[in-house]
């Protein structure tokens, strides 16, 4: 018998504020390599390899992250349908849009199964995860809405819980969802033995989910359908209609459907699952030394125990400390009590209110044409390293408040400067006066790397007037 088509639906939203300074608004945790040389998003898709019947993935992302998603999928050789949400409306509308698209793609064939996966989780036991998916398939084919319940190993207060009901083949009837408990209630759940952690992962037929939405959230179903009907193609992305999608109620799959359905099934999952909700969780997903320290990067420690020690470049050294989280990035350093790791979100909120840019971008800022990195800054000047991918170009632009000096250190650059066209190679330079229209392009087959010195009265990224842009910004 031919296996059912399974369309992975990868939810690429989320800000990951509790993982600051590793995670930033424009580069959240799903794009980080926290466990190995692949990002959490890439590993979410890589762990599906070996499942029968896999169809083309559907990634649901927001405007700011669209090129990051596309680039990371390209790096692992995968193509996906990338849906862009014009507004944040939680998981139920996002999955509804994927379901509408998947049904349209299926045409007259059987409705595909949607395997809904957050992009920022760690699952150590890939084989066990795939077995749980296989156990869920017959239930989903029969019309059930399946979720995966993680077997708890401690009285965790940071997760919601699922209570199981009567046993079914490979799983249980879904009895009810419960909110994040206090410590005593969590211990009661653990002792009872019939509660799972809520993983936020699901498997169901696309039509079954939309039918449930029509029953329990008809306005959401209607608005998402309208957003898909009026969607427009933009390069490799499908932009959902802004007005229709923004008019949809905002709700999670749990609240909108799973807590109300009488067709819910929960499949047990014992596969080393972790949602890395805060930086203390890094101690459970990375390599730990004999003193209980999770270390990554250039780290040296003496008389240090039970710490999370992450460095992105500079030497991180500790002496005589324990139970700390110390994360050093090129532009920020966090030192926190492991027991207070969840409170980093409050710190980030304070920094945002203070207008600190360290909450928004990492030191390397990714763009569709490449990336740039801040090297130095001061009153009326800043220095950047700019990398342009082969064949890519920046927008045709000008600045009202700054001039720019460019030095090519690698590759070849074609530069439009006013009415001039310049071809520069390594060790050559040019000057872009304030207000002059210009464009930077890499015509070669290797990365173009330049050092840019900006000078002027205002150096913010919003001092860019784009006249033409390949990427529709």
């Amino acid at each position: 018998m031919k296996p059912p088509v399974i369309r992975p639906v990868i939810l690429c939203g989320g800000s990951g504020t509790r993982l600051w300074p590793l995670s930033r608004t424009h580069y959240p945790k799903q794009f980080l390599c926290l466990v190995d040389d692949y990002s959490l998003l890439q590993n979410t898709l890589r762990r599906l390899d070996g499942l029968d019947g896999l169809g083309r993935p559907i990634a649901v992302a927001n405007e700011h992250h669209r090129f990051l998603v596309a680039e990371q999928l390209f790096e692992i050789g995968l193509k996906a349908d990338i849906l862009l949400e014009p507004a944040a409306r939680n998981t139920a509308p996002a999955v509804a849009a994927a379901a509408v698209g998947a049904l349209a793609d299926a045409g007259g064939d059987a409705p595909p199964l949607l395997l809904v996966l957050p992009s920022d989780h760690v699952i150590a036991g890939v084989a066990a995860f795939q077995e749980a998916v296989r156990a869920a398939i017959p239930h989903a084919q029969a019309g059930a809405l399946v979720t995966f319940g993680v077997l708890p190993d401690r009285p965790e207060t940071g997760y919601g819980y699922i209570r199981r009901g009567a046993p079914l083949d490979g799983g249980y009837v879904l009895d009810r969802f419960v909110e994040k408990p206090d410590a005593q209630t969590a211990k009661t759940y653990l002792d009872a033995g019939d509660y799972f952690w809520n993983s936020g992962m699901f498997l169901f037929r696309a039509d079954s989910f939309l039918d449930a939405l029509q029953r329990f959230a008809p306005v959401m179903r209607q608005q998402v359908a309208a957003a898909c009907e009026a969607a427009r193609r933009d390069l490799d992305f499908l932009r959902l209609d802004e007005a229709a999608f923004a008019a949809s109620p905002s709700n999670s799959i749990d609240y909108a459907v799973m807590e109300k359905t009488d067709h819910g099934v929960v499949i047990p999952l014992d596969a080393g699952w972790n949602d890395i909700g805060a930086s203390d969780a890094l101690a459970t997903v990375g390599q730990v030394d004999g003193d209980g320290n999770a270390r990554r990067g250039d780290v040296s420690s003496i008389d240090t125990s039970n710490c999370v020690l992450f460095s992105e470049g500079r030497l991180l050294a500790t002496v005589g400390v324990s139970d700390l989280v110390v994360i050093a990035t090129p532009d920020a350093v966090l030192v926190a009590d492991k027991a207070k790791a969840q409170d980093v979100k409050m710190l980030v909120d304070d920094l945002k209110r203070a207008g600190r840019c360290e909450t928004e971008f990492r030191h390397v800022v990714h763009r569709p044409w490449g990336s740039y990195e801040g090297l130095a800054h001061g009153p009326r000047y800043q220095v950047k390293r700019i990398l342009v991918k082969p064949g890519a170009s920046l927008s045709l632009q000008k600045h009202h408040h700054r001039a720019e000096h460019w030095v090519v250190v690698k590759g070849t650059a074609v530069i439009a400067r006013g009415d001039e066209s310049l071809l520069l190679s390594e060790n050559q330079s040019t000057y872009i006066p304030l207000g002059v229209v210009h464009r930077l392009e890499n015509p070669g087959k290797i990365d173009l790397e330049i050092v840019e010195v900006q000078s002027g009265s205002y150096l913010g990224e919003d001092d860019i007037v784009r006249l033409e842009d390949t990427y529709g910004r």
Side-chain angles (χ1 to χ4, degrees), residues 288-303:
V288 177
D289 65 20
D291 295 314
N293 301 306
R295 301 151 57 104
R296 191 174 180 90
D298 192 1
V299 175
S300 180
S301 57
I302 295 175
D303 190 24

Side-chain angles (χ1 to χ4, degrees), residues 267-327:
I267 299 295
L269 177 65
D270 186 10
W273 173 89
N274 194 319
D275 74 343
I276 318 184
S279 51
D280 60 327
L282 296 172
T284 65
V285 299
Q287 293 185 347
V288 177
D289 65 20
D291 295 314
N293 301 306
R295 301 151 57 104
R296 191 174 180 90
D298 192 1
V299 175
S300 180
S301 57
I302 295 175
D303 190 24
T304 297
S305 61
N306 301 317
C307 289
V308 173
L309 307 172
F310 269 48
S311 174
E312 291 188 333
R314 69 184 68 188
L315 170 64
L316 169 59
T318 61
V319 179
V321 298
S322 61
D323 300 308
L324 291 181
V325 171
V326 185
I327 297 176

Side-chain angles (χ1 to χ4, degrees), residues 8 10 57 60 82 106 111 125 172 185 224 239 330-331 339 348 359 384 404 409 414 429 437 442 461:
I10 312 301
V60 186
I82 303 178
Y172 300 88
T185 305
V224 171
R239 292 181 177 272
D331 62 343
V348 173
T359 65
K384 293 181 176 178
E404 297 175 340
V409 297
V414 169
S429 63
V437 174
N442 179 2
E461 284 300 306

